[in-house]
Amino acid sequence: MPLSHFNIAKSSTFYAYRLIQKTAPFSTIQHASLFNQPPSIFSSLLREFSNTLIHVKSIHAQIIRNCISTQHILATKLIKLYSDLGFLNSAYKVFDQCPHRETTLCNTMMGGFLKNREYEEVPKLFKIMGFCDIEINSYTCVFALKACTVLLDREIGMEIVRVAFRKGFHLHPHVGSSVINFLVKTGDLDEARVVFDGMPDRDVVCWNSIIGGYVQEGLFKEAVQMFVEMISCGVRPSTVTMASLLKACGESGMKKLGMGVHAFVLGLGMSDDVFVLTSLVDMYCNAGDIDRALLVFNSMRSRSLISWNTMISGCVQNGMVPESFALFHRLVESGDGFDSGTLVSLIRGCSQTSDLENGKVVHSCIIRKGLESNIVLSTAIVDMYSKCGAIKQATNVFRTMEKRNVITWTAMLVGLSQNGYAEDALKLFCQMQEENVAANSVTLVSLVHCCAHLGSLKKGRSVHAHLVRHGYAFDAVNISALIDMYAKCGKIHSAEKLFYKGFHLNDVILCNSMITGYGMHGQGHQALGVYDRMIDVRLKPNQTTFVSLLTACSHSGLVEEGRILFHSMERDHNIKPSDKHYACFVDLLSRAGCLEEADSLVKQIPIEPSTDVLEALLSGCRIHKNTNMGIQIADRLISLDYLNTGIYILLSNIYSDARRWESVNYIRGLMRIRGLKKTPAFSLIEVGNQVYTFFAGDDSHPGWGNIKQLLENLRLEAEASGYVPDTSCVLRDVNELTKVQLLWGHSERLAIAFGLLNTPYGSLIRITKNLRVCVDCHTVTKYISKIVKREIIVRDANRFHHFVNGECSCNDYW
C-alpha cells in the first residue's frame, strides 16, 4: 500500500514514523507525498535511515518539498550526516542555504570539515562567526584549535586561545587540553605548562597533553615527573598516557624505568591492549633489548599491522636483518597483509647489510603491490641499490620516478658519490638546479665530498657558497666536510681559516678533519699542534683522531712523535689500538726504514694482524728494497687475501726492483689466471668549469699533438738542466729507450702538459692522481716547476706534493 494513502499528518510523530516503517519499503519514500509534516518526523527518519547516501538524499528531498530545509535542527542533522558519509559539498550546501546561522549549526559544519580533513576551512568559519556576531562557545574553540594544531597555524591559533581565555573556557578540561595540545605542537611548552597549572580541574586528557608535550621536546625526565604527579593526584592513566611514558623510556634509554612501566601496565589491566603492547615493543627495541621486545610481541593475543611494523623495524634498527625477514614471512602467512611502512623497514635492512638479493625481492613486492608511485619507497629503493653498489639499477629507478623530492635527489647524488661517480653526481646536481629543486644540507655536503674526490676547487667553492647562502655552513659536520674538501684540493690555508673559525664548536670531528688535512700535506708538526689544542681545551680525542695523527707522522717522518702517540692511546686516553692504529704505526716505522722494529711489532699484535698491517710492512719492504722480507710478507698476505690486486702489484714491484723478471712474469701470470687486473693509473685536472681525465699512454685527446710536442720540449730542457730518467720505475723488461718513452706517457705528465697549454701563464696547476706518484714523475715535476716558473700541486693516493721552483713540500719523503 503506498504511503500517500495514509493520513500521516493527523497521526502523532511516533505513530507516523512507525506506520511508514511497517507498511512500506524505504525506497518508496522518495516517491511518497509527505506534505505538511512536522520537522520531528523527518528528524526521526534521518536518525533511523542515516547509513546510506540515497536514504539521506530522499529524506532531504522531502524536507525541501515541505519548505523546512532551513530548520536549524534538520539542517544540523543533514550537515552531520552528509559529512559523516564523506559528502562535504552536500553538507556545505545545506549550511550555505541557512539564512540564519547559529552556534550549533556552525560547530557541526566545523566538525564536518575536521572529519573530512579540510582543516583550512575551520579557522575561516571561526573568523566568520566572530565577524557576524555568532556566539562562540567552548566546542567552537575546541574544533578551531584542533584545526590550527594540525595546520601548525600559530597566528590564528593564538587568536582562538585569547578568545577562550577571555570567555573563561580555558578552565574547562576539554578546552584546556586543546589549548595545551596546540601550544605544545606549536613549540610553546612553557606557556602550555602555565595553562595546565592554572586549571582547577584536570582530566586525563589534560595530563596526556602536557606529558606528551615533554616527550615531544625530548624532556623525558620532566615527562616522568609529571606522570608521578598525575598518579599522586589520583588520576587513572589511560592507554595514551602509558604509550607516551614508554616512548620517553625508549628514546632516553631508561630501560630499567621502562621495565617498571611494563609492570605498571600489567597492574592497570592493559595486558591485552594492542596499542600499549605495541608501545612496549617499541620501547624495548629503542633500548636495544630485542629479546624482550620479541617476548612481548610473541605474547600478544592480537596484533595490528603497526605492531608488526614496529617489531620488524626494531629488528632492522638493532642489526637483526634476517630476523626482520623471518617476521615478514610470518606476517604474510598470517594473511594480515603489509603496507609501505613494512617494506621501507625491509629495504633499510637490505641497505645496512648490502643485501642485493633480498633487496630485489622487496623491490618486486613493491611492484606487485602497485606501490611504485610511493615516493618514500622509491627513494628507499634508490638508496638500497646505491648502498649495494648497483648504481645502474638505482639510476633506473630514479629516472622512472614520476615524483621526486629533495630526499630522492640527495639519495641518488650520495649513491653516485659513494660509488665513485663524482662527475656524474655533479652533473645530476646541475639537473636538480634546472628543475628548481632546493638542495638541503645533506645534498650539498655530498657534493662537497664529490669535489674533494675530483680535486675540483672551483666547483667546491661554488658548493661552499650554496651552503653559506642557505645557512648550512656553520655547523661542525659541514665545516668538517669543507675543511676536507679544501685540503684535498690543495688549499690547506683555506682549510685552516675554516678550522679556526669553527674551533669554538669544540667538536672532535672538526679537529680530526684538520689533522687529516695537515697530514696529507706533510705538515705533521701542525697536525700535532691541533692535537695539543684539543688537550688544552679538554676535548677528548677518539680512535679516528689517533689514526689521523699517526698518518700525519708517517707522511712527515716524525717517528719518535708517532711512538709517543701510539703508546699514549691506551695509557692516557683509554683507547685500545685497533687494526687501523697498528697499520698506521707499522707504516710509520716501515717508511722510516725501521723494518725490523715494524716486523717485531707485527709479531707482538695480540690478535691476528689484518691485511692492512701486513700491506703497510710490504710497502716498506718495497721502498727500502728488502726483497727477502717482502717476499715472506707477500706470501703470507696472498694466503690471507688472494684476491687483493694490490698485494700482487707490490710483490711484482719488489721483484722488478731486484731485476727478477721471471718472477715478475710469474706474478703477472698468476694475476691473469685469478682474473685480477691492475687498477689503471689516471690523473684529473680542472680547467675552466670542466674536469679532464688522462690515462697513462693515452693519445686519444683532441689536443694530443700539442701535448706531445710540449712534453718533448720539457724533456729536452729538463735533461739539459741535469735531469736523468730513473727507468727503475718502469716495471717491464724492455730496452732503455722504450722505458723513457713509457715514463713520459705517465698520466700526470699528460695532465700537466694539458694544464700548461690551457691555463694563463704563471697560474697554478693542480693535478689529482688515483695512484702513488712514481719516483721519476716526482723528480721530473720538480724540474718542470722550475722551467715553467709555476707552482704545481699533485695529490696522489697518499698525500699532496707542492712543487715550487724545483723543490717539493714533501722533501722527497713520501
Side-chain angles (χ1 to χ4, degrees):
M1 181 182 295
L3 284 171
S4 58
H5 289 190
F6 290 93
N7 188 3
I8 299 175
K10 294 180 181 178
S11 309
S12 68
T13 302
F14 177 76
Y15 176 74
Y17 163 64
R18 296 300 297 169
L19 192 61
I20 292 167
Q21 190 179 42
K22 288 180 179 178
T23 58
F26 186 83
S27 59
T28 62
I29 289 178
Q30 58 188 318
H31 304 297
S33 299
L34 297 176
F35 292 121
N36 301 316
Q37 302 306 315
S40 56
I41 192 170
F42 293 105
S43 182
S44 300
L45 288 168
L46 285 171
R47 184 168 58 250
E48 183 68 18
F49 301 104
S50 60
N51 56 343
T52 59
L53 180 65
I54 190 168
H55 293 168
V56 175
K57 281 194 169 184
S58 298
I59 299 168
H60 188 186
Q62 294 295 344
I63 290 170
I64 293 169
R65 291 181 72 184
N66 278 268
C67 300
I68 53 173
S69 59
T70 58
Q71 286 270 344
H72 280 182
I73 294 175
L74 292 176
T76 301
K77 287 196 172 185
L78 284 168
I79 289 169
K80 185 175 188 313
L81 290 175
Y82 279 129
S83 298
D84 289 348
L85 292 167
F87 289 87
L88 195 60
N89 286 339
S90 299
Y92 193 75
K93 281 179 183 178
V94 175
F95 176 77
D96 199 38
Q97 288 165 5
C98 287
H100 303 292
R101 296 165 189 164
E102 47 86 52
T103 305
T104 306
L105 194 72
C106 293
N107 287 351
T108 305
M109 193 67 246
M110 281 186 177
F113 285 135
L114 287 172
K115 189 174 184 66
N116 290 273
R117 299 184 180 180
E118 293 289 341
Y119 303 111
E120 295 87 354
E121 300 301 322
V122 179
K124 290 178 185 177
L125 185 50
F126 182 87
K127 284 189 170 184
I128 290 169
M129 288 177 70
F131 183 75
C132 297
D133 289 328
I134 301 171
E135 184 188 353
I136 292 171
N137 64 17
S138 61
Y139 292 100
T140 317
C141 293
V142 168
F143 288 143
L145 279 172
K146 279 183 180 177
C148 290
T149 303
V150 174
L151 297 169
L152 297 177
D153 190 335
R154 183 165 177 80
E155 185 179 348
I156 297 176
M158 288 308 295
E159 286 182 27
I160 298 162
V161 170
R162 283 190 285 271
V163 170
F165 268 75
R166 191 166 62 246
K167 291 178 174 286
F169 297 150
H170 66 289
L171 301 175
H172 302 177
H174 67 290
V175 180
S177 61
S178 296
V179 171
I180 292 166
N181 192 42
F182 166 75
L183 292 170
V184 163
K185 292 290 169 57
T186 54
D188 199 342
L189 184 57
D190 291 337
E191 189 62 34
R193 181 61 191 267
V194 170
V195 175
F196 177 83
D197 289 339
M199 294 176 67
D201 297 311
R202 296 174 293 208
D203 61 11
V204 68
V205 180
C206 295
W207 286 96
N208 288 346
S209 296
I210 200 70
I211 291 170
Y214 280 121
V215 174
Q216 178 184 306
E217 292 297 315
L219 301 169
F220 304 120
K221 288 183 179 178
E222 288 82 351
V224 173
Q225 287 170 0
M226 289 302 294
F227 174 75
V228 173
E229 189 178 332
M230 173 186 176
I231 298 300
S232 66
C233 289
V235 179
R236 180 182 170 83
S238 69
T239 55
V240 174
T241 321
M242 303 316 295
S244 293
L245 197 60
L246 287 166
K247 185 178 180 183
C249 295
E251 293 189 7
S252 63
M254 295 187 286
K255 181 182 164 184
K256 286 187 178 179
L257 179 60
M259 293 172 71
V261 176
H262 187 173
F264 201 83
V265 163
L266 299 177
L268 288 169
M270 297 179 182
S271 58
D272 286 332
D273 189 283
V274 174
F275 177 57
V276 175
L277 293 180
T278 301
S279 298
L280 266 171
V281 170
D282 187 53
M283 182 274 292
Y284 281 124
C285 288
N286 285 331
D289 193 342
I290 202 72
D291 291 333
R292 276 196 173 88
L294 281 166
L295 197 65
V296 174
F297 178 80
N298 290 326
S299 69
M300 293 173 71
R301 295 181 185 178
S302 61
R303 306 180 186 97
S304 66
L305 183 53
I306 295 173
S307 308
W308 285 98
N309 287 351
T310 301
M311 193 66 252
I312 290 170
S313 175
C315 286
V316 171
Q317 176 186 327
N318 286 277
M320 299 174 66
V321 179
E323 287 79 358
S324 71
F325 274 91
L327 280 165
F328 176 62
H329 291 310
R330 280 176 59 188
L331 172 59
V332 173
E333 288 170 4
S334 72
D336 288 343
F338 54 89
D339 64 2
S340 59
T342 323
L343 297 172
V344 163
S345 294
L346 294 171
I347 295 166
R348 285 175 181 158
C350 295
S351 297
Q352 284 177 18
T353 56
S354 299
D355 187 348
L356 183 59
E357 291 308 309
N358 271 324
K360 287 178 178 178
V361 171
V362 179
H363 190 187
S364 66
C365 285
I366 291 169
I367 294 169
R368 283 200 303 271
K369 208 166 175 65
L371 295 171
E372 303 99 312
S373 60
N374 185 308
I375 194 168
V376 175
L377 280 174
S378 295
T379 300
I381 285 289
V382 169
D383 181 65
M384 181 273 295
Y385 278 130
S386 298
K387 293 255 174 44
C388 294
I391 203 68
K392 186 176 179 180
Q393 288 94 323
T395 305
N396 288 340
V397 174
F398 177 80
R399 285 176 179 166
T400 55
M401 288 176 68
E402 293 178 7
K403 292 181 180 179
R404 296 178 290 213
N405 59 19
V406 64
I407 300 171
T408 314
W409 284 91
T410 301
M412 192 68 250
L413 282 164
V414 171
L416 289 167
S417 174
Q418 291 177 345
N419 283 278
Y421 296 90
E423 288 185 72
D424 294 312
L426 290 172
K427 288 175 184 175
L428 190 66
F429 179 60
C430 293
Q431 184 185 338
M432 181 179 175
Q433 288 179 299
E434 288 169 6
E435 296 191 19
N436 295 318
V437 181
N440 63 19
S441 176
V442 180
T443 320
L444 295 171
V445 169
S446 69
L447 288 169
V448 170
H449 291 307
C450 289
C451 296
H453 175 76
L454 293 171
S456 178
L457 181 61
K458 286 185 179 179
K459 287 185 172 66
R461 281 175 170 160
S462 175
V463 179
H464 185 181
H466 270 284
L467 282 163
V468 172
R469 279 198 300 273
H470 292 89
Y472 297 138
F474 309 106
D475 67 82
V477 173
N478 294 347
I479 294 174
S480 299
L482 287 166
I483 288 170
D484 178 67
M485 183 273 293
Y486 279 117
K488 286 180 177 174
C489 289
K491 301 291 286 186
I492 194 67
H493 295 304
S494 297
E496 276 178 333
K497 285 179 184 177
L498 280 170
F499 172 70
Y500 288 115
K501 279 183 182 178
F503 187 76
H504 68 279
L505 297 170
N506 280 351
D507 188 87
V508 68
I509 298 173
L510 197 73
C511 295
N512 291 348
S513 295
M514 195 66 244
I515 292 169
T516 302
Y518 279 133
M520 70 175 70
H521 284 268
Q523 299 181 13
H525 289 293
Q526 288 89 330
L528 292 171
V530 174
Y531 172 69
D532 290 339
R533 288 192 68 167
M534 290 175 68
I535 300 303
D536 289 343
V537 299
R538 297 183 180 179
L539 181 58
K540 187 178 173 69
N542 59 18
Q543 289 199 339
T544 305
T545 311
F546 285 100
V547 169
S548 300
L549 285 167
L550 290 169
T551 302
C553 290
S554 179
H555 287 166
S556 302
L558 303 176
V559 180
E560 190 55 38
E561 290 85 344
R563 281 197 187 98
I564 293 169
L565 281 170
F566 183 80
H567 294 299
S568 73
M569 284 173 57
E570 196 163 8
R571 183 187 67 235
D572 300 336
H573 303 287
N574 199 29
I575 297 174
K576 193 172 182 179
S578 68
D579 276 341
K580 286 186 177 180
H581 298 109
Y582 280 112
C584 290
F585 191 36
V586 168
D587 183 63
L588 167 65
L589 296 172
S590 300
R591 282 176 187 275
C594 307
L595 294 177
E596 297 300 330
E597 183 181 350
D599 187 41
S600 175
L601 176 66
V602 170
K603 290 172 182 174
Q604 291 171 23
I605 296 175
I607 55 174
E608 182 68 26
S610 68
T611 55
D612 289 339
V613 173
L614 296 173
E615 276 190 73
L617 183 54
L618 180 61
S619 180
C621 292
R622 193 263 162 138
I623 292 168
H624 296 285
K625 304 188 186 308
N626 190 326
T627 306
N628 292 333
M629 184 185 288
I631 292 168
Q632 291 174 10
I633 299 296
D635 286 342
R636 188 175 173 186
L637 270 167
I638 289 170
S639 67
L640 290 171
D641 188 5
Y642 73 94
L643 293 178
N644 187 333
T645 306
I647 299 166
Y648 294 87
I649 298 299
L650 274 171
L651 183 56
S652 174
N653 292 349
I654 289 171
Y655 282 133
S656 176
D657 289 339
R659 296 292 191 272
R660 292 171 58 172
W661 300 113
E662 287 185 5
S663 298
V664 171
N665 292 332
Y666 170 75
I667 293 297
R668 288 180 177 169
L670 200 60
M671 287 176 67
R672 282 193 296 272
I673 291 169
R674 293 177 177 176
L676 304 175
K677 291 183 180 180
K678 180 182 177 182
T679 303
F682 65 82
S683 295
L684 307 173
I685 182 170
E686 184 179 32
V687 176
N689 287 317
Q690 188 172 345
V691 176
Y692 296 87
T693 305
F694 290 89
F695 289 88
D698 183 11
D699 59 0
S700 62
H701 194 276
W704 168 247
N706 293 330
I707 292 171
K708 183 180 179 183
Q709 184 60 54
L710 178 57
L711 286 173
E712 179 61 18
N713 295 340
L714 289 171
R715 183 184 69 81
L716 293 172
E717 287 194 54
E719 288 179 354
S721 300
Y723 160 68
V724 178
D726 184 351
T727 55
S728 67
C729 299
V730 179
L731 307 177
R732 289 167 62 180
D733 186 15
V734 292
N735 61 55
E736 288 298 304
L737 181 61
T738 303
K739 286 182 178 181
V740 172
Q741 290 173 343
L742 289 170
L743 285 173
W744 281 91
H746 281 192
S747 64
E748 56 265 57
R749 302 193 202 197
L750 302 181
I752 289 170
F754 179 77
L756 291 170
L757 289 167
N758 293 277
T759 56
Y761 178 78
S763 63
L764 184 146
I765 302 289
R766 186 179 287 104
I767 308 294
T768 300
K769 184 173 181 178
N770 68 322
L771 302 178
R772 186 175 181 270
V773 172
C774 76
V775 173
D776 191 67
C777 281
H778 189 268
T779 301
V780 82
T781 305
K782 289 194 289 185
Y783 279 97
I784 292 172
S785 71
K786 189 171 184 178
I787 292 166
V788 299
K789 295 182 173 58
R790 294 226 216 169
E791 180 181 358
I792 301 171
I793 297 177
V794 178
R795 180 184 116 203
D796 70 5
N798 286 343
R799 57 168 297 159
F800 269 88
H801 302 268
H802 295 253
F803 299 94
V804 181
N805 197 30
E807 300 293 332
C808 180
S809 60
C810 74
N811 296 315
D812 297 338
Y813 184 87
W814 83 99

